[in-house]
Amino acid sequence: MDKTIAHKRKSVFQQILEDKRAIRQCIQSGGDIKKIAQERGIKFATPI
């Protein structure tokens, strides 16, 4: 039997909103932002 899992693709905008919520929650709870960024594949811009 071939067991394949069909994943529904998320909208890019929906993914961005989820990332923003995760970052905000991390900041409020005092978590490690670098860890969240690495898990989600987010790159932050560094100020010049």
Side-chain angles (χ1 to χ4, degrees):
M1 291 190 167
D2 185 25
K3 294 185 178 183
T4 58
I5 299 172
H7 293 284
K8 185 176 178 183
R9 289 193 50 112
K10 290 184 181 178
S11 168
V12 174
F13 300 111
Q14 187 68 29
Q15 184 65 37
I16 291 170
L17 289 175
E18 289 177 8
D19 290 344
K20 284 178 66 174
R21 285 186 196 113
I23 292 168
R24 185 167 187 260
Q25 183 179 6
C26 179
I27 291 171
Q28 287 180 342
S29 65
D32 186 16
I33 297 175
K34 291 181 182 179
K35 181 181 173 188
I36 295 292
Q38 186 177 20
E39 288 175 358
R40 294 181 169 262
I42 301 170
K43 292 185 179 180
F44 293 109
T46 55
I48 296 177

